Amino acid sequence: MKINLSDSEWKLMNPLWEQPPMTITELTAALRDDTGWTKNTVITMLSRLEAKGAVRHEEGPRAKHYYPCLIREDAAQAETESFLGKVYGGSLGLMMSAMVDSRKLTEADIAELSAILEKAGGAER
């Protein structure tokens, strides 16, 4: 299932992925410090996400319980592909070259990337 999430929708989905299910009150409390969103804003966002098929709810005894329908890893994969397509024409190599050229990679980043490439079989042994 390919669903594109806005930045605001990512903010709402993150706590929902961490501790499903959540009520509107719980989500509002979880997002308050970071976003300042009111309960009405959270309700609007949840309605939008339900329409997209990213979340669902079940009626609880006192409140609706919201669950993610979208797997976090799938959403991250779709976001990565969209970003690569928009910014780098789909080229992972071009993106990595830009990162290296800007000198934004730390030693830890390089070690992590090396481990990923080795796991994928892309590094020589």
Side-chain angles (χ1 to χ4, degrees):
M1 168 181 357
K2 186 172 180 178
I3 297 173
N4 292 323
L5 299 175
S6 69
D7 290 346
S8 296
E9 290 168 340
W10 273 97
K11 286 182 182 189
L12 191 140
M13 290 298 294
N14 281 321
L16 201 53
W17 278 317
E18 293 295 324
Q19 293 183 311
M22 294 183 83
T23 64
I24 292 167
T25 301
E26 291 168 336
L27 278 165
T28 302
L31 294 164
R32 185 174 292 121
D33 289 344
D34 185 39
T35 65
W37 291 346
T38 65
K39 184 177 180 178
N40 288 335
T41 302
V42 172
I43 290 169
T44 299
M45 296 294 297
L46 284 168
S47 294
R48 186 182 311 165
L49 287 164
E50 276 193 290
K52 286 184 169 187
V55 300
R56 67 177 178 82
H57 77 273
E58 292 179 4
E59 295 291 336
R62 299 181 69 203
K64 292 178 180 177
H65 292 124
Y66 287 85
Y67 296 83
C69 296
L70 186 59
I71 298 168
R72 178 184 276 180
E73 292 75 14
D74 291 346
Q77 180 70 30
E79 186 77 15
T80 301
E81 289 172 6
S82 174
F83 173 77
L84 276 175
K86 281 188 269 188
V87 179
Y88 296 104
S91 171
L92 181 60
L94 185 57
M95 183 188 76
M96 292 308 302
S97 179
M99 293 294 296
V100 169
D101 291 346
S102 71
R103 303 202 190 281
K104 298 288 185 198
L105 295 176
T106 65
E107 290 295 324
D109 293 333
I110 293 167
E112 183 177 5
L113 287 168
S114 294
I116 291 168
L117 291 172
E118 187 171 325
K119 181 180 173 186
E124 291 192 43
R125 296 171 195 221

